[in-house]
Every structure is written in C-alpha cells, then in structure tokens.
Amino acid sequence: MMILFFGIRPGKTTTVDLKHVKCPHCNQNNTLSGESTPNFFHLFWIPLFRVSTTQVIHCHHCKKGYYKEEFTKEMKTAIER
Ligand SMILES: [Zn+2]
C-alpha cells in the first residue's frame, strides 16, 4: 500500500520596507514594512510549487497591521517589487 504525504506548508518569510508609501491610518511616510510568506505544495516534504503568498503590512509608527484585502494601490505596487 502506498501512502502519500502531501500538504501546504509556509516557506521563508521575507520582509521589505515600503518606500515612499504613506500609512493610511497615521499618514506617516516610510513607516510601513511588508512581510511575504510563500505557501508551497509539498509532497514527501519536498516543496513542489508555490500555491499562494500570504502578505501583511505593518506600520512602525502607529502599529497598525494591514491584511492583503486592505492594501492600497501604492502598498501593492511597493510590496510586489
Ligand atoms: Zn501608521
């Protein structure tokens, strides 16, 4: 009998500073940093391909966190680079 081990597991989180982007909450510039975590489809603990990316943005000034659905156009452009 063959047993398959597979599933979705998160990869390494990368952090980027979002330059020249204003925080919509406190209106400060250059206070935002974004975190991207790729989610990989694993088979036998080997990452095969990326299925999605979890992204969050935090403001260092007002400590507000933003989820992907709340990103402004400027945030999206800055985090994708
Ligand atoms: Zn802020």
Side-chain angles (χ1 to χ4, degrees):
M1 185 187 157
M2 175 107 172
I3 299 166
L4 287 177
F5 292 95
F6 63 94
I8 311 287
R9 286 163 51 149
K12 201 168 164 273
T13 300
T14 52
T15 308
V16 285
D17 288 327
L18 307 189
K19 301 249 190 288
H20 314 298
V21 181
K22 217 182 224 186
C23 173
H25 189 70
C26 66
N27 281 319
Q28 298 292 310
N29 245 317
N30 299 320
T31 58
L32 299 171
S33 71
E35 285 183 6
S36 300
T37 309
N39 299 300
F40 289 98
F41 180 82
H42 282 244
L43 184 63
F44 293 106
W45 302 282
I46 300 159
L48 289 185
F49 53 86
R50 193 170 78 174
V51 283
S52 64
T53 307
T54 307
Q55 290 178 321
V56 283
I57 290 176
H58 292 282
C59 175
H60 299 294
H61 186 77
C62 66
K63 309 292 179 207
K64 188 167 165 52
Y66 298 92
Y67 292 103
K68 214 169 184 173
E69 312 82 71
E70 305 168 294
F71 287 5
T72 62
K73 220 176 101 221
E74 289 75 23
M75 287 174 170
K76 277 184 194 151
T77 311
I79 203 170
E80 294 302 338
R81 279 190 303 121

